[in-house]
Structures are given as structure tokens and as C-alpha cells.
Amino acid sequence: MADSCFQCGAELVAPPALCASCGAVQPFRADLSLFTVAGLSETYDLDVQTLRTQVFALQKGLHPDRFAHAEPTARRYSLEWSTRLNEALATLRDPLKRADYLLRCQGVDALGEQVKVADPELLMTQMIYRERLENIMAARDLPGMEALRQEVDKAVTKVVQRLKELLAILPCTELEAAGSAVRELQFLDKLVGEIGRSEESLQNV
């Protein structure tokens, strides 16, 4: 990363989008990680509120309206940085997307179409949960739906905690286990959505 402002020559500190000395928006760097763009250390165990606060403050400083009368190059830089900040917020605030991103940074596509779920325990868990959801819907059992939702929420919490442990030190050395956990979290994340839609459907009948 360039260590000085292209305009005034002052030393740049993270996040690198704006010069703290002269306020100039810096040339966009597509090679920087989402963590660096947001001015945060690379970690899975991320405080989402800190992320939001940091990104919103940066977005305010980089808002294209502030550069409406600037040179075309500065306007382009502000738009590029703002777009990348939006991507950082959308990716890093989500436990599943954050874990997937960290693994992708190590060249591991845990959720790619070519990846086959070979974990028989996970496959069996998927079958059991889906069968329970179907039975609850057939019986129009709202209390049962709520109980299932709470159970799945706890399962999500457990997987996220496992990922915090597996990704505590980066780069990750247990890529296979981390990839498996990411795939499990993806399934549970989808299941939470299905339960929410099913619950709403039962309530509206």
C-alpha cells in the first residue's frame, strides 16, 4: 500500500481512502482487502457495531456529493471507494459471508458449485431438519415452529463459535474443518430463512 498522500506527500494511515492531512481522496486500490478498506484488523471475531461505525464515518467523508465540484478523477476515486465500502459492510457484517471471504483470501472456495458435501452427519442433519419443518407445516404447529427456530438459532451460534476458534489465527491452518463449518452455517442460514417464511405463512392463515 502506498504510504504517502499523492497530493501533499503526508504519511497515510489506515484506512487509506482519505489523507488525514490535506483531506484528498486517494487513488483507489482494488487489491486492498475489505478489512483494510474499512480500516480494521483482519479477524473473524469482528464487532459488527464497530464495523458499522467505521464504515459509516468513512462513507460520510467519501460521499460523492462532497466531490461534486472536484476534478473528475477525484469524483471517480470517491465513487470507487464508496462502492468498495458498501461491499465491505455487506460482506463483513454477516458471519457466513465473512468466513467465506476469509477462506477465499486463502484460495479456498468452500461454497463453490464444484464442492461436494461429503459429510454424512451434515447430510443427515439436513434431512432431519427439513422433515421436521414439513411435519410442523402440515400440522400447522406454531409452538413447534417456534421451538424449531430456537433450536436452529442455537445451532447457528455453535457453528459461529467453532469458526471463531478455527479462524482465530490467520492464515487458517485447518482449512478443511473451516470449509466444512462454513457449509454447515450456509445450510443453517438458509433454514432460518425457511423457518421465518413458514412461520409467517402459518400466522397469516
Side-chain angles (χ1 to χ4, degrees):
M1 182 173 68
D3 57 4
S4 62
C5 172
F6 82 100
Q7 182 162 294
C8 73
E11 182 179 356
L12 291 176
V13 294
L18 291 169
C19 174
S21 295
C22 70
V25 61
Q26 301 300 300
F28 178 67
R29 292 281 307 276
D31 60 307
L32 297 180
S33 77
L34 296 180
F35 290 94
T36 301
V37 168
L40 298 171
S41 300
E42 189 172 276
T43 178
Y44 181 72
D45 192 6
L46 184 68
D47 182 80
V48 175
Q49 186 54 51
T50 298
L51 168 69
R52 287 197 180 99
T53 300
Q54 181 81 347
V55 169
F56 290 160
L58 289 167
Q59 286 175 328
K60 184 177 180 180
L62 288 163
H63 197 282
D65 287 350
R66 293 189 67 245
F67 300 91
H69 303 293
E71 294 292 326
T73 300
R75 294 202 300 270
R76 188 181 80 246
Y77 289 162
S78 71
L79 180 60
E80 289 172 334
W81 282 113
S82 295
T83 300
R84 187 66 163 164
L85 278 168
N86 289 335
E87 181 186 354
L89 180 60
T91 300
L92 301 181
R93 69 184 176 189
D94 182 278
L96 173 60
K97 293 179 181 179
R98 185 164 67 247
D100 183 44
Y101 175 74
L102 285 170
L103 291 184
R104 283 176 178 273
C105 287
Q106 289 191 236
V108 177
D109 186 6
L111 302 178
E113 294 183 1
Q114 303 303 319
V115 177
K116 295 184 179 179
V117 180
D119 184 347
E121 185 175 346
L122 177 56
L123 292 172
M124 181 60 68
T125 299
Q126 291 178 355
M127 291 175 57
I128 292 172
Y129 271 133
R130 294 197 183 284
E131 183 176 352
R132 286 177 60 187
L133 182 57
E134 290 175 4
N135 291 339
I136 288 170
M137 283 297 292
R140 300 189 179 281
D141 181 7
L142 268 174
M145 187 72 74
E146 173 63 17
L148 179 61
R149 184 186 62 77
Q150 292 182 6
E151 182 179 330
V152 174
D153 284 346
K154 290 179 181 178
V156 168
T157 299
K158 285 182 63 176
V159 178
V160 169
Q161 181 57 42
R162 194 188 322 150
L163 281 167
K164 287 180 180 180
E165 295 169 0
L166 290 168
L167 300 173
I169 299 176
L170 297 172
C172 176
T173 57
E174 298 184 67
L175 294 174
E176 186 174 342
S180 178
V182 167
R183 288 187 288 276
E184 183 177 356
L185 184 57
Q186 181 189 48
F187 161 70
L188 292 171
D189 191 58
K190 289 180 179 179
L191 184 59
V192 168
E194 291 176 21
I195 291 172
R197 290 187 294 272
S198 298
E199 196 167 26
E200 184 177 351
S201 176
L202 289 180
Q203 290 170 341
N204 292 334
V205 173

